[in-house]
Amino acid sequence: MLDARSKEIALAEVQQHKILLDESEMPTQWYNIVPDLPSPPPPALHPGTLQPAGPEDFLPLFPMDLILQEVSQDRYVDIPEEVQDVYRLWRPSPLFRAHRLEKALGTPAKIYYKYEGVSPAGSHKPNTAVPQAYYNAKAGVRKLTTETGAGQWGTALSFACALFGLECEVWQVAASYDQKPYRRLMIEAFGATVHRSPSELTQAGRNVLAENPDHPGSLGIAISEAVEVAAQDPEIRYALGSVLNHVLMHQTIIGEEALLQFAKIGVTPDVIVGCTGGGSNFGGLTFPFLREKLAGKMSPTIRAVEPASCPSLTRGVYAYDFGDTAGMTPLMKMHTLGRNFVPDPIHAGGLRYHGMSPLLSHIYELGLIEALAVPQTECFAAAIQFARSEGILPAPEPTHALAACIREALACKESGEEKVILTALCGHGHFDLAAYDAYLSGRMTDEAVTDARFAAALADLPQVPA
Ligand SMILES: Cc1ncc(COP(=O)(O)O)c(C=O)c1O
């Protein structure tokens, strides 16, 4: 005789857990949301002239194919065959139904998660690293430089460069470099060189170290270092792991697949949650759903989740700012905490960015998405509950999405609503065990950021005529 708990487990086993697509069903185009928006996002500005930046202003940093994608007005862009071929190493990625998490929460909500941790790097980042390496190799570039926080992006780009015969040099934010030695080794295994940022190798790094030799680093500083090196050598270009339009567009393969997967089971989500660092996994999952919403075909609530210690959408301002700390990039109108804001060294290194994708910021301003900031201990509590029911140890970044998902599922428990919740599980946390150690041993804390700290970082926003 089975007891009640065993019966429950047996029942769960006959339910469908994964909604899968065949390799032949993988979408072959990326989606560009820009032409479908009620108004276009404001242009990037040249930092010297403060005039709208033209494609040529980006040439020292990016190959023309990517610049054209950055400013494209086409709704769809074909994914090159060579890129599709690499994508098929792990794509289409699975859509899971979290039956056991639902049971553990006692919620009538139906929870789904789109899992990007199946990629070689362990996250969504190869979805854009691969095309970026491909287009750079096609343009004859010798080396790519980049920043990395958690190390996921550095791993992804190093992997992609290895496939397309490019050299790769990575500046990793000091706090993450120290917390995650095995990430660095994985990046090196794929062939890239890794530097602890701020470094002595660049003027941007030296300036920061002169003021504070123990600086924990930030994504803004690491970007400055990688951009500085790329801008000085015509054979070197820079690759950004998030924020820009073309990066978010490459990630839309996630949402396009998820739409096909939901169509297979005749379900549409009521709520979609995803974490936002620079906005790429969130934009990638949600933009195809937003397209359907704008076309009146579905009406999900779409919610971005950010860390309470780096809340660019919920506590930042919408203004022109630099994408990096040293002020070398074009000016972008975005939600920003100020380029000098150095977030506390929380474990979600990939969410420690002072700004937000200008496209996503614009969409937030249009009222098409919501945003929520969550403290890290709540995120790790959610991650542990998720791991103990679904068996996947999430990267620290998507623990934010899981915390918001659990909040929503518990609200459904109160109201009795059977909402369908879709969560972006954009990476695994196998190299983030130091973060789990901090949480499980009770050493993890939530430091509230004072208003004075926000105000100080916002005091020196660049002056841009209206
Ligand atoms: C696993 C993971 N999730 C999320 C992020 C945040 O970036 P984005 O907002 O562009 O997805 C990162 C960035 O490094 C990451 O590594």
Side-chain angles (χ1 to χ4, degrees), residues 370-381:
E370 300 177 355
L372 171 74
V374 186
Q376 68 172 346
T377 51
E378 180 182 340
C379 298
F380 276 83

Side-chain angles (χ1 to χ4, degrees), residues 165-241:
L166 293 168
E167 295 170 35
C168 183
E169 201 168 350
V170 180
W171 274 262
Q172 182 170 21
V173 175
S176 298
Y177 183 98
D178 297 338
Q179 279 166 0
K180 302 177 185 193
Y182 293 114
R183 260 293 160 202
R184 172 171 59 76
L185 287 168
M186 189 167 179
I187 300 172
E188 288 173 349
F190 281 126
T193 309
V194 188
H195 309 293
R196 188 179 186 275
S197 170
S199 77
E200 292 287 353
L201 299 166
T202 65
Q203 194 55 50
R206 288 190 291 274
N207 289 348
V208 175
L209 289 173
E211 273 190 24
N212 177 6
D214 298 321
H215 200 291
S218 71
L219 280 168
I221 296 168
I223 294 173
S224 295
E225 297 205 80
V227 165
E228 184 181 318
V229 170
Q232 286 168 2
D233 186 332
E235 289 189 353
I236 305 180
R237 290 286 183 281
Y238 164 71
L240 185 58

Side-chain angles (χ1 to χ4, degrees), residues 5-326:
R5 176 72 189 134
S6 309
K7 269 192 202 146
E8 221 171 60
I9 292 169
L11 182 65
E13 275 162 7
V14 295
Q15 289 165 328
Q16 186 173 5
H17 291 78
K18 298 191 293 301
I19 300 99
L20 300 173
L21 298 175
D22 189 72
E23 278 184 29
S24 62
E25 294 172 289
M26 188 183 80
T28 56
Q29 292 185 312
W30 294 300
Y31 169 56
N32 175 19
I33 197 170
V34 173
D36 283 340
L37 293 176
S39 65
L45 302 182
H46 186 283
T49 63
L50 300 184
Q51 293 303 306
E56 62 289 350
D57 294 323
F58 293 96
L59 267 178
L61 295 183
F62 304 113
M64 194 43 108
D65 279 330
L66 289 174
I67 296 171
L68 293 178
Q69 288 183 1
E70 185 63 21
V71 296
S72 174
Q73 289 296 322
D74 297 335
R75 292 183 81 219
Y76 294 97
V77 173
D78 289 337
I79 305 175
E81 284 294 338
E82 294 88 335
V83 173
Q84 287 186 38
D85 187 59
V86 181
Y87 275 180
R88 288 201 183 91
L89 292 175
W90 71 95
R91 306 212 71 84
S93 71
L95 176 70
F96 283 88
R97 169 87 185 267
H99 290 293
R100 288 184 171 80
L101 178 63
E102 291 168 18
K103 289 234 161 52
L105 296 169
T107 178
K110 297 175 176 58
I111 301 174
Y112 291 84
Y113 56 96
K114 179 75 169 154
Y115 186 41
E116 291 294 308
V118 293
S119 84
S123 74
H124 63 297
K125 296 287 180 180
N127 295 334
T128 182
V130 172
Q132 289 198 48
Y134 165 78
Y135 289 117
N136 274 287
K138 198 174 146 220
V141 171
R142 177 174 60 84
K143 182 197 274 191
L144 287 179
T145 63
T146 199
E147 75 294 334
T148 197
Q152 290 271 18
W153 169 241
T155 312
L157 194 69
S158 180
F159 156 68
C161 284
L163 296 189
F164 290 103
L166 293 168
E167 295 170 35
C168 183
E169 201 168 350
V170 180
W171 274 262
Q172 182 170 21
V173 175
S176 298
Y177 183 98
D178 297 338
Q179 279 166 0
K180 302 177 185 193
Y182 293 114
R183 260 293 160 202
R184 172 171 59 76
L185 287 168
M186 189 167 179
I187 300 172
E188 288 173 349
F190 281 126
T193 309
V194 188
H195 309 293
R196 188 179 186 275
S197 170
S199 77
E200 292 287 353
L201 299 166
T202 65
Q203 194 55 50
R206 288 190 291 274
N207 289 348
V208 175
L209 289 173
E211 273 190 24
N212 177 6
D214 298 321
H215 200 291
S218 71
L219 280 168
I221 296 168
I223 294 173
S224 295
E225 297 205 80
V227 165
E228 184 181 318
V229 170
Q232 286 168 2
D233 186 332
E235 289 189 353
I236 305 180
R237 290 286 183 281
Y238 164 71
L240 185 58
S242 186
V243 178
L244 297 177
N245 297 356
H246 67 270
V247 179
L248 272 62
M249 187 186 75
H250 296 156
Q251 295 292 354
T252 57
I253 187 146
I254 306 174
E256 294 291 10
E257 282 180 6
L259 275 171
L260 294 174
Q261 287 162 315
F262 276 119
K264 280 204 171 194
I265 51 169
V267 171
T268 47
D270 299 304
V271 181
I272 310 178
V273 290
C275 70
T276 43
S280 75
N281 89 87
F282 178 82
L285 177 68
T286 62
F287 286 177
F289 287 89
L290 194 48
R291 173 189 66 216
E292 302 301 299
K293 185 172 178 175
L294 289 168
K297 295 184 194 160
M298 55 174 74
S299 54
T301 299
I302 300 177
R303 191 170 296 141
V305 193
E306 54 186 14
S309 56
C310 194
S312 56
L313 284 171
T314 53
R315 289 184 75 180
V317 295
Y318 185 50
Y320 272 102
D321 197 3
F322 291 101
D324 69 319
T325 301

Side-chain angles (χ1 to χ4, degrees), residues 413-436:
K413 185 174 175 177
E414 285 286 306
S415 67
E417 284 172 288
E418 295 183 14
K419 284 188 190 171
V420 174
I421 306 170
L422 169 60
T423 305
L425 185 57
C426 54
H428 68 64
H430 298 178
F431 294 94
D432 303 286
L433 295 175
Y436 282 92

